[in-house]
Amino acid sequence: MTDLDKIRNFSIVAHIDHGKSTLADRLIQSTNTVAERDMKAQMLDSMDIERERGITIKANTVRIDYHAKDGETYVLNLIDTPGHVDFAYEVSRSMRAVEGSLLVVDSTQGVEAQTLANVYHAIEADHDLVPVFNKIDLPASDIDRVAEQVEDVIGIDASGAIAVSAKTGQGIEETLEAIVTQLPAPKGDVDAPLKAMLVDSWYDSYLGVIVLVRIIDGVLKKGEKVKFISNGTIHHVDRIGVFRPEMQPVDQLGPGEIGFLTASIKQVRDTRVGDTITHQRSEVEPLDGFQPAQPVVFCGLFPVDSSQFEDLRESIDKLALNDASFSFEMESSAALGFGFRCGFLGLLHLEVIRDRIEREFDIELITTAPSVIYHIHMKDGTKLDLHNPADMPDVTTVDHVAEPRIKATILVPDEYLGEVLKLCQDRRGIQEDLTYAGSRAMAVYDLPLNEVVFDFYDRLKSVTKGYASFDYQLTGYRQDNLVKMSVLVNEEPVDALSMMVHRDRAEARGRAMVEKLKDLIPRHMFKIPIQAAIGGKVIARETLSAMRKDVTAKCYGGDASRKRKLLDKQKAGKKKMRQFGKVDIPQEAFISALKMDD
């Protein structure tokens, strides 16, 4: 058990692509925590998709032994947290497990939206912050400008910031010394009852669920029985250890230490991030801020090849083993067949799950339009949560609909500000703030989440040529004039294309949808009406003409009987087709229509 004065627990706060994982690699390498022959890029990122995208999806930790200039040996516990807003709750719990943070800012780009969001998490957790300006080896580096931004936008003193190049190793020694001298040691009582925070968990096929814990008070030993306070379950600890970054068993973990335990736990859902762990017979106050993970974005996942449905079921079951925030239930669609309605923490989470299914299990997927949870207030006083627009109850029984709203922070060069403001206004945004930091503007908007999950981020990157950064947080629900828009093909509703829209924008969205479908659906032997409707009222219509000869034209030689026979045959054929034939809507039409830009 390590002396509390010799422990430093910290995380790295940064915007995506500002060099957080590379800095972590250099800290590990310079302290010889990993042998030189075993070093690789993004040491703490275990998934292929993390390495390819250059992002962190799962929180990871490493224990580093550092021999400081004062002659003492310190234990440094680094928690490498996700930077994306989808994983904000995990980030907040990881922040609560440590006492300080390195604020990493790209010296060529400056402060970005996710930098702000994660700094606020760190400040709420009462962290001491050490500013680190990375990528000083690049010609475009401007430390003075970035220091001024940090002081103006974030409001912390950047005069003592450390200039670092994580790529070349410059400034790494100074960073390690700053961690030891500027960040506080943890506090804790070794004689108190065990109190530990569950920081994260994941599934291992041999060990069961591995639980990452931070010991607040008391001592955790192998062989003890522990209790998870949120659900009251009791587990026998069969292994404890630390990450270096490989798992290394230890005899015990004391106050201030971060490590792992295994207890033959079968499902990740039994271990909730932020939960409090104590001994079986101990009674302690749970840690503040715990809440179950709540999916906020829902969409349908259907296999392109319907014969792969069972493979899809198996793949989703396996992914859910390792991701407690991912929810799913089976659904069927007349157009797309059998699939699953899945809930995600956000759009990035959705992309990660979809990419993993396609990559790891070789299943090609159709993804329906993402939607959010609406609160349906009924006339009888009850309230329903609507996950799928196709399940919208009869409008005559609905009093009003409330939609989730977000506070969006957008940082953008001022030459693109006009386009950004127009985009936010088009998406029913309400401007809350607009400030400047040098040549960059920071716009804060109140936006409907539904407008953001559709294609907002792509449009934002398009109108700003990729220079804008975007972050958001949920603020609550608000009543608005929302309606369910259905799409009917040949007078049959296509549930996969149903969506909730604002009434003022319903006609424009419906017209764009039916025009797109008219171009995508192949012609049949009969006319096909394509309609967008709100309840029983059609708000937009296109007709796909039939694939046939024009027998109503004047026949050669004036053979009226021949003309009559052809017409009779055609009528009989059309009637038969409507009775027995279905309109063949190709999967490409669904994909294009669902991704349609209005």
Side-chain angles (χ1 to χ4, degrees), residues 160 163 255 320 412 527 544:
V412 61
K527 287 193 297 185
L544 189 62

Side-chain angles (χ1 to χ4, degrees), residues 56 68 78 97 137 208 237 251 254 304 309 344 360 384 387 391 393 405 431 527 555:
T56 300
L78 163 63
D137 57 306
V237 178
D251 294 329
V304 170
F309 171 72
F344 307 91
E360 297 174 19
L384 304 176
H387 296 171
D391 299 331
R405 307 285 295 197
Q431 188 180 116
K527 287 193 297 185
C555 296

Side-chain angles (χ1 to χ4, degrees), residues 152-196:
D152 291 347
V153 178
I154 300 176
I156 64 172
D157 182 17
S159 58
I162 304 166
V164 168
S165 171
K167 181 180 178 181
T168 64
Q170 182 181 349
I172 297 301
E173 191 68 27
E174 291 83 350
T175 304
L176 288 165
E177 280 297 316
I179 292 169
V180 169
T181 57
Q182 297 184 35
L183 297 184
K187 298 176 182 178
D189 185 355
V190 69
D191 298 318
L194 174 66
K195 179 188 283 190

Side-chain angles (χ1 to χ4, degrees), residues 427 451-460 596-598:
R427 298 306 172 94
E451 300 286 355
V452 172
V453 302
F454 192 64
D455 63 348
F456 181 84
Y457 189 68
D458 293 339
R459 290 290 302 279
L460 179 66
M596 180 196 60
D597 179 6
D598 62 335

Side-chain angles (χ1 to χ4, degrees), residues 508-572:
R509 180 71 66 84
R511 190 170 301 284
M513 180 72 87
V514 297
E515 287 174 358
K516 188 83 169 179
L517 284 171
K518 182 184 177 184
D519 295 335
L520 293 168
I521 296 174
R523 294 168 69 190
H524 288 57
M525 297 301 291
F526 51 90
K527 287 193 297 185
I528 302 171
I530 305 169
Q531 301 164 308
I534 298 174
K537 180 183 178 183
V538 175
I539 58 172
R541 172 181 171 130
E542 291 286 340
T543 303
L544 189 62
S545 59
M547 186 172 60
R548 60 177 175 78
K549 289 182 179 179
D550 187 7
V551 295
T552 60
K554 184 177 180 181
C555 296
Y556 290 105
D559 188 354
S561 61
R562 178 174 175 270
K563 179 179 175 181
R564 196 179 303 110
K565 287 177 183 177
L566 286 172
L567 282 171
D568 291 342
K569 282 185 179 181
Q570 187 188 62
K571 286 178 182 177

Side-chain angles (χ1 to χ4, degrees), residues 230-506:
S230 69
N231 51 22
T233 55
I234 308 294
H235 302 281
H236 182 271
V237 178
D238 51 39
R239 181 181 309 212
I240 59 174
V242 296
F243 292 98
R244 291 185 178 272
E246 298 298 326
M247 296 169 66
Q248 178 179 313
V250 296
D251 294 329
Q252 61 183 19
L253 292 172
E257 293 190 290
I258 297 174
F260 71 88
L261 68 86
T262 63
S264 301
I265 303 170
K266 299 293 188 293
Q267 290 188 338
V268 173
R269 296 182 188 280
D270 297 333
T271 57
R272 302 173 180 175
V273 172
D275 197 1
T276 306
I277 302 173
T278 186
H279 286 134
Q280 179 183 2
R281 301 186 184 281
S282 297
E283 294 295 331
V284 297
E285 283 294 317
L287 296 164
D288 294 335
F290 168 74
Q291 62 186 52
Q294 294 290 340
V296 295
V297 174
F298 289 81
C299 80
L301 297 180
F302 295 85
V304 170
D305 182 355
S306 58
S307 65
Q308 289 188 304
F309 171 72
E310 289 300 328
D311 296 335
L312 178 59
R313 184 204 297 273
E314 184 179 343
S315 66
I316 285 178
D317 283 338
K318 288 181 178 178
L319 288 180
L321 276 177
N322 215 12
D323 192 345
S325 58
F326 168 52
S327 65
F328 64 95
E329 61 181 20
M330 185 178 161
E331 75 168 349
S332 62
S333 163
L336 301 177
F338 290 103
F340 292 91
R341 188 78 182 172
C342 303
F344 307 91
L345 296 174
L347 284 182
L348 177 66
H349 192 207
L350 186 161
E351 287 181 31
V352 168
I353 294 292
R354 185 187 63 209
D355 288 354
R356 289 189 66 187
I357 291 173
E358 292 184 340
R359 180 195 307 253
E360 297 174 19
F361 302 96
D362 196 25
I363 301 172
E364 195 175 349
L365 294 174
I366 295 174
T367 308
T368 64
S371 66
V372 298
I373 302 176
Y374 296 93
H375 288 171
I376 311 297
H377 295 264
M378 310 298 286
K379 289 183 177 177
D380 61 5
T382 58
K383 186 181 79 172
L384 304 176
D385 287 346
L386 181 69
H387 296 171
N388 187 349
D391 299 331
M392 177 76 175
D394 186 357
V395 291
T396 58
T397 64
V398 175
D399 182 64
H400 65 271
V401 180
E403 64 179 347
R405 307 285 295 197
I406 62 169
K407 179 183 177 181
T409 303
I410 302 169
L411 277 163
V412 61
D414 54 8
E415 63 260 36
Y416 303 111
L417 180 60
E419 293 288 341
V420 170
L421 297 182
K422 181 178 183 301
L423 175 63
C424 292
Q425 292 298 128
D426 290 345
R427 298 306 172 94
R428 299 190 284 125
I430 302 169
Q431 188 180 116
E432 293 187 345
D433 194 13
L434 180 61
T435 55
Y436 282 86
S439 62
R440 308 187 74 202
M442 183 175 76
V444 179
Y445 264 85
D446 176 26
L447 283 163
L449 180 59
N450 185 36
E451 300 286 355
V452 172
V453 302
F454 192 64
D455 63 348
F456 181 84
Y457 189 68
D458 293 339
R459 290 290 302 279
L460 179 66
K461 287 295 184 182
S462 176
V463 299
T464 62
K465 296 182 170 59
Y467 285 108
S469 61
F470 170 70
D471 197 271
Y472 69 86
Q473 61 187 46
L474 286 166
T475 56
Y477 279 76
R478 186 184 306 163
Q479 178 182 346
D480 214 328
N481 192 8
L482 299 167
V483 292
K484 173 192 169 184
M485 186 181 77
S486 303
V487 175
L488 295 85
V489 178
N490 202 27
E491 301 177 357
E492 290 291 330
V494 182
D495 51 359
L497 296 177
S498 298
M499 62 177 67
M500 300 294 293
V501 294
H502 194 273
R503 189 178 290 275
D504 294 344
R505 303 187 63 209

